């Protein structure tokens, strides 16, 4: 099929590439001229395992192209996916101006042929209805259906997630859109769930909020483990072995961050409020998440006493492992807090340094993990990069002024680190 993706970021670029990989012809649109030129030149603006090879392969096969022109994409494609940002506003509600703007632009370019406009961005319930109204307002005779098709990919494994999805959710307001949407997704061999528009939109916010809830739940249990001398990992393993609970998302740490969970949770709280429901449970999830960072910083202060002029080495800036994305990264929040208290921070991340630099200009970013330890009063692990597990930790200890190691992601083995001579602190263990 001929498909267009408007917005070529973490979601749009990976989705478009995977659609091309299964045989569709895909035009990816972006209004960032620099991004489109660099994609046309074969440079991939984000790090996502396996993506670069797939982009190159599908561009060479003539199935994937990049443009700044929504008009060209609308003219050539039966199905047009919207994958633009839906950032939070100061009050927690969603800024829908990108989605609305794209809907209007699509309307301008419709010529009377049937088109399906798909919301892939994460949007509040009832947005699909609004998108349809908007297109009809600017092109009253438009022959369109609007579909909600939320995306569940995880950054860091986005290609694998897209190629092997757990399920595909397709929310429709008319049966006419069902067959073409099934045709888009049949090559992925995943269960396809057809729902109404509003339910599909809610599935996304309800899912992300539930995953955030699991993280805050285990973090709250980790606090009880610390107070009682129990071990959160054993507790999580014991809980997770129960199929009704599951082990995923029961990893204690310094809390969730990233471009999705914090904004989707606050959006869901706001949406619920607007619909007359006070989602107190999710407000508590947010508070616990905030507490996790504060509890971690408190542990550092308790050990180091005064932070001013202390040299702190930081391993990890991305919001999770295997990505270069530093948006709403807890690691960045922690580094900012340390800098604000006068600490001198040296940091390293395998992929996230370029994007982090602008957010923490006072921190010194170094080229290797080992360098953060030079003369350090403490080293912190803030992102769960598996590479950090196999560092030469004895060598790192020798470079440090004092052997304080704070593991905010429970990445390292406590006994091993203590046997190397570290004063090792983690979360709930
Ligand atoms: P992103 O910022 O990485 O990408 C968005 C892209 O849209 C950017 O390249 C931007 O230049 C482009 N854009 C903005 N306005 C445009 C316009 N008018 N015309 C054309 N292009 C335009 O964002 P993202 O992380 O890909 O997220 C996109 C949406 O998908 C959001 O709603 C997000 O919540 C949702 N989502 C994200 C993830 C994730 O892991 N990143 C997962 C599932 C869903």
């Amino acid at each position: 099929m001929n498909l267009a993706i408007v917005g070529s970021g973490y979601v749009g670029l990976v989705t478009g590439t995977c659609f091309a990989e299964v045989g569709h012809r895909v035009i990816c649109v972006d209004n960032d001229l620099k991004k489109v030129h660099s994609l046309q030149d074969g440079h991939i603006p984000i790090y996502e395992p396996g993506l670069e090879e797939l982009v190159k392969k599908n561009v060479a096969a003539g199935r994937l192209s990049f443009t700044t022109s929504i008009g060209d994409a609308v003219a050539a494609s039966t199905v047009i996916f919207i994958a633009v940002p839906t950032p939070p506003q100061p009050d927690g509600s969603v800024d829908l101006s990108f989605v609305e703007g794209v809907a209007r632009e699509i309307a301008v370019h419709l010529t009377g042929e049937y088109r399906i406009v798909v919301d892939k961005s994460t949007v509040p319930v009832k947005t699909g209805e609004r998108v349809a109204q908007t297109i009809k307002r600017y092109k009253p005779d438009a022959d369109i259906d609007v579909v909600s098709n939320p995306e569940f990919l995880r950054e860091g494994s986005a290609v694998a997630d897209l190629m092997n999805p757990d399920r595909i959710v397709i929310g429709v307001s008319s049966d006419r859109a069902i067959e073409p949407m099934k045709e888009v997704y049949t090559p992925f061999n995943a269960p396809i769930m057809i729902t109404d528009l509003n339910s599909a939109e809610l599935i996304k916010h309800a899912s992300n909020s539930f995953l955030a809830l699991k993280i805050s739940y285990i973090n709250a249990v980790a606090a009880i483990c610390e107070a009682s001398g129990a071990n959160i990992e054993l507790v999580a393993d014991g809980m997770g072995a129960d199929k009704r609970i599951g082990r995923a998302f029961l990893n204690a740490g310094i809390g969730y961050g990233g471009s999705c969970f914090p904004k989707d949770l606050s959006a869901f709280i706001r949406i619920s409020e607007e619909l007359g429901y006070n989602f107190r449970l999710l407000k508590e999830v947010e508070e616990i998440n905030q507490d996790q960072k504060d509890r971690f910083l408190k542990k550092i202060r308790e050990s180091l006493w005064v932070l001013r002029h202390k040299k702190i080495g930081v391993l990890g800036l991305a919001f999770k492992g295997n990505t270069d994305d530093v948006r709403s990264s807890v690691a960045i929040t922690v580094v900012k807090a340390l800098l604000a208290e006068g600490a001198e921070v040296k940091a390293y991340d395998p992929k996230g340094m370029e994007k982090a630099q602008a957010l923490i200009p006072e921190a010194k970013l170094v080229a290797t993990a080992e360098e953060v330890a030079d003369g350090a009063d403490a080293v912190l692990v803030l992102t769960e990069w598996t590479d950090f597990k196999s560092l030469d930790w004895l060598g790192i200890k020798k470079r440090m002024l004092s052997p304080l190691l704070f593991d905010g992601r429970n990445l390292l083995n406590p006994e091993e680190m203590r046997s190397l001579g570290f004063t090792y602190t983690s979360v709930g263990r």
Side-chain angles (χ1 to χ4, degrees):
M1 289 180 90
N2 290 333
L3 310 176
I5 316 272
V6 184
S8 305
Y10 283 89
V11 168
L13 179 60
V14 186
T15 310
T17 306
C18 292
F19 283 161
E21 175 67 11
V22 298
H24 299 305
R25 287 178 75 88
V26 183
I27 303 178
C28 285
V29 185
D30 208 283
N31 65 354
D32 179 340
L33 197 68
K34 215 172 119 202
K35 190 179 266 189
V36 170
H37 282 161
S38 93
L39 282 163
Q40 286 169 337
D41 290 342
H43 303 298
I44 313 300
I46 56 170
Y47 171 72
E48 199 52 66
L51 180 64
E52 188 165 353
E53 298 80 346
L54 275 198
V55 170
K56 290 191 168 145
K57 175 181 163 198
N58 284 285
V59 167
R63 289 191 297 265
L64 181 64
S65 61
F66 305 99
T67 178
T68 53
S69 164
I70 290 194
D72 290 352
V74 170
S77 315
T78 322
V79 187
I80 303 146
F81 290 83
I82 302 177
V84 292
T86 46
Q89 309 203 82
D91 68 354
S93 64
V94 182
D95 176 358
L96 286 165
S97 60
F98 295 86
V99 172
E100 196 261 358
V102 171
R104 275 191 287 133
E105 263 196 86
I106 291 172
V108 169
H109 295 288
L110 290 170
T111 54
E113 277 179 276
Y114 178 59
R115 292 288 182 261
I116 299 174
V117 177
V118 184
D119 268 333
K120 194 164 252 316
S121 295
T122 301
V123 291
V125 61
K126 290 176 177 294
T127 299
E129 291 173 5
R130 288 293 200 172
V131 168
Q133 284 165 8
T134 302
I135 295 176
K136 290 278 185 190
R137 183 178 312 129
Y138 292 97
K139 190 62 67 93
D141 57 352
D143 185 13
I144 53 137
D145 277 313
V146 171
V147 166
S148 166
N149 171 221
E151 182 48 60
F152 301 99
L153 67 79
R154 294 163 300 176
E155 285 181 29
S157 57
V159 170
D161 289 348
L162 265 154
M163 295 307 289
N164 305 288
D166 289 340
R167 79 311 205 178
I168 306 291
V169 173
I170 296 174
V172 296
S173 55
S174 124
D175 288 350
R176 191 180 174 195
I178 295 175
E179 277 318 307
M181 287 304 295
K182 280 189 173 167
E183 205 181 321
V184 172
Y185 279 108
T186 299
F188 293 92
N189 287 321
I192 295 180
M193 298 178 60
I194 305 293
T195 71
D196 61 278
L197 211 47
N198 291 342
S199 300
E201 289 167 341
L202 270 181
I203 285 170
K204 177 64 190 177
H205 269 130
S207 300
N208 270 7
S209 299
F210 188 77
L211 293 172
L213 179 148
K214 273 188 102 176
I215 295 172
S216 278
Y217 185 83
I218 206 65
N219 280 334
V221 178
I224 308 296
C225 286
E226 285 178 10
S228 64
N231 181 333
I232 192 61
E233 254 157 37
L234 300 177
V235 174
D237 286 346
M239 287 172 62
D242 185 330
K243 288 192 190 70
R244 294 170 303 174
I245 298 173
R247 183 64 174 82
F249 282 76
L250 290 183
N251 295 317
I254 47 175
Y256 60 79
S259 71
C260 289
F261 283 4
K263 89 166 165 62
D264 290 352
L265 206 73
S266 61
F268 201 31
I269 291 169
R270 278 294 304 223
I271 295 159
S272 308
E273 240 156 46
E274 279 165 25
L275 294 168
Y277 182 75
N278 180 3
F279 218 140
R280 293 187 300 272
L281 178 65
L282 294 186
K283 291 179 183 169
E284 195 56 36
V285 169
E286 281 188 329
E287 290 225 1
I288 293 170
N289 198 53
Q290 181 58 42
D291 286 352
Q292 274 322 92
K293 295 169 221 173
D294 298 341
R295 290 168 58 82
F296 187 69
L297 285 163
K298 194 165 161 232
K299 288 177 189 171
I300 298 168
R301 278 188 216 104
E302 269 168 9
S303 293
L304 285 177
W305 186 26
V306 174
L307 291 187
R308 181 167 296 278
H309 302 313
K310 288 280 159 45
K311 292 187 170 52
I312 299 186
V314 165
L315 290 172
L317 295 168
F319 86 95
K320 64 190 274 198
N322 265 345
T323 181
D324 62 344
D325 197 350
V326 295
R327 292 178 291 179
S328 301
S329 168
V330 180
I332 300 286
T333 308
V334 168
V335 169
K336 280 185 175 169
L338 297 171
L339 290 167
E341 290 187 43
E344 294 165 24
V345 176
K346 258 192 225 164
Y348 168 79
D349 187 281
K351 297 284 177 196
M353 301 226 279
E354 204 181 315
K355 288 179 176 151
Q357 181 72 82
L359 302 176
I360 42 168
E362 308 95 315
K364 183 165 192 258
L365 303 189
V366 293
T368 64
E370 288 75 14
E371 281 171 70
V372 307
D374 287 339
D377 298 284
V379 164
L380 323 181
V381 177
L382 300 183
T383 306
E384 63 277 35
W385 279 100
T386 39
D387 307 14
F388 294 159
K389 282 190 194 181
S390 53
L391 291 173
D392 168 14
W393 282 100
L394 189 60
I396 287 183
K397 200 195 110 207
K398 285 185 186 149
R399 289 168 172 242
M400 295 170 70
L401 206 58
S402 85
L404 291 176
L405 178 56
F406 295 88
D407 182 353
R409 297 295 178 186
N410 288 357
L411 188 78
L412 306 165
N413 182 303
E415 285 78 41
E416 218 175 284
M417 290 303 126
R418 283 178 193 132
S419 74
L420 292 177
F422 281 106
T423 305
Y424 174 81
T425 308
S426 56
V427 182
R429 306 191 293 179

